[in-house]
Amino acid sequence: MKFSLTRDLLLKPLLLVSGAVERKSTLPILGNVLLDVSGQSLTMTATDLELEMISSTQINNQGSDGKITVPARKLLDICKSLPDDADIEFEHSNDTINIACGRSRYSLATLPANDFPNIEEWQGDVDFTLQKSQLLRLIESTHFSMANQDVRYYLNGMSIETENNEIRSVATDGHRLAICKIVNDNLALPNRQVIVPRKGILEIIRLLDPNDEEVQLSLGSNHLRIVDNSFSFTTKLVDGRFPDYRRVLPRNGDKVLATNKEQLRQVLSRASILSNEKFKGVRLNFAPSELKITANNPEQEHAEEYLEIDFPFESLEIGFNVSYILDVLSAVKDDTIKFTLSDANSSVVIEGQDSGEALYVIMPMRL
């Protein structure tokens, strides 16, 4: 097995697959990337048994076809440190792969390709294409509401739902809920719900660029796959039942406030500096012409901010985790944000005033 290629042709696919390499595995081979030479093509595969990433590149093949696994992190570090336009030669002999570039020489220990685990073959039962920008918007609008290491393991991920011409993403950690939907008239999809694990969601965000290129999505009984012209990404699904979030959507909100998103973000950010570092609680006092925001911490420090608003309802005082509101303000693209409230003990619904594709529910805090 002997081949050569330029650094740029190697670095891009290697960076793509490196996200799936297991960092602290008890299985040494999961720290390796599988190199598969076939004709003038090199295919690289990495997996941590939950995710699998595959990417290909063109090479100048000077030997026989073959497969071998090499340490992913070391190969990536070597590749990054070489000059931009360098030509790199690989030659496999015995249990090592020799890498030559100019006057530089490296040899890396290899492990047999036969020991490399493959995610089992499966067929998707729901297949559709979506623009990268749409898929990214769907995920970025809700991913921050996923739980992190919750004992309710089904919350440590995102629910992806298909129904007719709609695709929805839903995430909740039990204190807040985020829903985003995209309507695509070219789609006619069956009713389906899957839970994509947190690591898979974060990897998808890393992989996708916000452009109009299309990617192919396949949903299976245990896997989700995304195929692009430069990579194939597969993640196992969480085996569990996502909560029926429709039951917790507040229905009785009768007080609506529309205000400038950026102004609200600024006053909340300033007030949060003196909030309790652990609980991040702030108190919001809604009055007819102003919103008063106060924060305190155990050091007896105090912050007070005011924002002019139009709130033609009874005055209302309610406490929130300020980080939850700031996350929503960062995700909403509209310039004007809309709050729908009922009383001090009920959740608030936050959404952009114009787009209407994302909706957020935040539970109040007792302060």
Side-chain angles (χ1 to χ4, degrees), residues 139-146 171 173 176 178 324 327-328 331 360:
I139 290 174
E140 287 190 328
S141 296
T142 56
H143 80 280
F144 52 83
S145 292
M146 292 186 295
D173 60 7
R176 53 179 168 173
Y324 293 174
D327 283 343
V328 171
Y360 304 91

Side-chain angles (χ1 to χ4, degrees), residues 125-126 154 158-163 168-171 190-196 219-222 224 237-238 240-246:
D125 43 26
V126 180
Y154 48 83
M158 181 183 294
S159 173
I160 302 289
E161 304 171 11
T162 61
E163 183 180 4
R168 287 185 297 276
S169 64
V170 187
N191 283 18
R192 189 72 195 279
Q193 182 185 55
V194 300
I195 305 175
V196 183
L219 305 181
S221 54
N222 299 309
L224 173 142
L237 300 174
V238 176
R241 187 166 180 80
F242 203 74
D244 183 3
Y245 57 88
R246 292 176 181 85

Side-chain angles (χ1 to χ4, degrees), residues 52-120:
E52 182 183 77
M53 271 294 304
I54 302 172
S55 189
S56 299
T57 189
Q58 292 297 306
I59 58 167
N60 176 17
N61 192 356
Q62 299 146 5
S64 58
D65 294 352
K67 296 181 183 180
I68 197 65
T69 78
V70 299
R73 178 57 50 192
K74 292 172 184 171
L75 179 60
L76 181 60
D77 288 344
I78 289 169
C79 187
K80 280 181 176 176
S81 62
L82 291 172
D84 287 353
D85 53 354
D87 282 310
I88 308 172
E89 294 181 2
F90 289 81
E91 186 169 5
H92 176 231
S93 65
N94 300 324
D95 294 331
T96 60
I97 193 157
N98 298 308
I99 304 170
C101 176
R103 301 184 67 178
S104 304
R105 299 287 183 274
Y106 306 90
S107 66
L108 294 177
T110 63
L111 290 170
N114 294 338
D115 297 342
F116 194 78
N118 277 331
I119 287 181
E120 69 266 23

Side-chain angles (χ1 to χ4, degrees), residues 175-217:
H175 304 287
R176 53 179 168 173
L177 168 71
I179 306 168
C180 181
K181 69 176 180 183
I182 282 179
V183 178
N184 188 325
D185 293 330
N186 298 323
L187 298 176
L189 299 169
N191 283 18
R192 189 72 195 279
Q193 182 185 55
V194 300
I195 305 175
V196 183
R198 179 185 182 85
K199 185 174 180 181
I201 289 295
L202 298 179
E203 190 62 20
I204 293 169
I205 293 173
R206 185 184 79 88
L207 289 172
L208 294 179
D209 297 317
N211 58 39
D212 294 338
E213 291 176 17
E214 292 197 325
V215 287
Q216 176 82 27
L217 281 87

Side-chain angles (χ1 to χ4, degrees), residues 140-365:
E140 287 190 328
S141 296
T142 56
H143 80 280
F144 52 83
S145 292
M146 292 186 295
N148 190 7
Q149 297 181 326
D150 197 296
V151 291
R152 297 163 294 180
Y153 61 93
Y154 48 83
L155 298 185
N156 300 320
M158 181 183 294
S159 173
I160 302 289
E161 304 171 11
T162 61
E163 183 180 4
N164 299 324
N165 63 347
E166 264 189 31
I167 305 166
R168 287 185 297 276
S169 64
V170 187
T172 180
D173 60 7
H175 304 287
R176 53 179 168 173
L177 168 71
I179 306 168
C180 181
K181 69 176 180 183
I182 282 179
V183 178
N184 188 325
D185 293 330
N186 298 323
L187 298 176
L189 299 169
N191 283 18
R192 189 72 195 279
Q193 182 185 55
V194 300
I195 305 175
V196 183
R198 179 185 182 85
K199 185 174 180 181
I201 289 295
L202 298 179
E203 190 62 20
I204 293 169
I205 293 173
R206 185 184 79 88
L207 289 172
L208 294 179
D209 297 317
N211 58 39
D212 294 338
E213 291 176 17
E214 292 197 325
V215 287
Q216 176 82 27
L217 281 87
S218 296
L219 305 181
S221 54
N222 299 309
H223 297 88
L224 173 142
R225 176 167 289 158
I226 299 174
V227 179
D228 175 45
N229 53 19
S230 62
F231 67 82
S232 168
F233 168 78
T234 306
T235 175
K236 285 187 176 179
L237 300 174
V238 176
D239 182 16
R241 187 166 180 80
F242 203 74
D244 183 3
Y245 57 88
R246 292 176 181 85
R247 293 207 338 245
V248 301
L249 291 177
R251 309 280 181 201
N252 56 349
D254 55 356
K255 303 176 182 66
V256 179
L257 164 68
T259 188
N260 180 276
K261 179 186 75 174
E262 186 55 30
Q263 288 180 344
L264 179 63
R265 192 191 66 75
Q266 288 177 7
V267 294
L268 286 172
S269 295
R270 292 196 295 266
S272 71
I273 297 167
L274 296 187
S275 64
N276 185 313
E277 283 186 15
K278 186 175 180 184
F279 301 111
K280 288 291 181 185
V282 296
R283 189 176 275 111
L284 276 62
N285 289 83
F286 295 87
S289 60
E290 70 179 14
L291 170 63
K292 178 184 175 186
I293 299 162
T294 53
N296 301 284
N297 61 30
E299 290 80 45
Q300 306 301 315
E301 295 166 335
H302 181 77
E304 204 169 277
E305 288 278 353
Y306 291 88
L307 185 66
E308 285 186 22
I309 59 171
D310 180 19
F311 190 72
F313 308 100
E314 286 181 26
S315 295
L316 176 66
E317 180 181 297
I318 188 165
F320 289 112
N321 181 321
V322 69
S323 300
Y324 293 174
I325 302 179
L326 289 171
D327 283 343
V328 171
L329 298 184
S330 297
V332 171
K333 300 293 183 275
D334 302 30
D335 292 331
T336 302
I337 198 99
K338 186 171 80 172
F339 284 68
T340 306
L341 308 123
S342 54
D343 57 56
N345 299 313
S346 299
S347 298
V348 62
V349 177
I350 308 176
E351 53 198 317
Q353 187 170 39
D354 303 319
S355 64
E357 69 179 19
L359 180 144
Y360 304 91
V361 179
I362 301 177
M363 288 176 63
M365 277 180 83

Side-chain angles (χ1 to χ4, degrees), residues 38-55:
S38 177
Q40 301 302 309
S41 175
L42 168 66
T43 302
M44 295 183 231
T45 306
T47 183
D48 63 1
L49 301 180
E50 298 293 323
L51 311 178
E52 182 183 77
M53 271 294 304
I54 302 172
S55 189

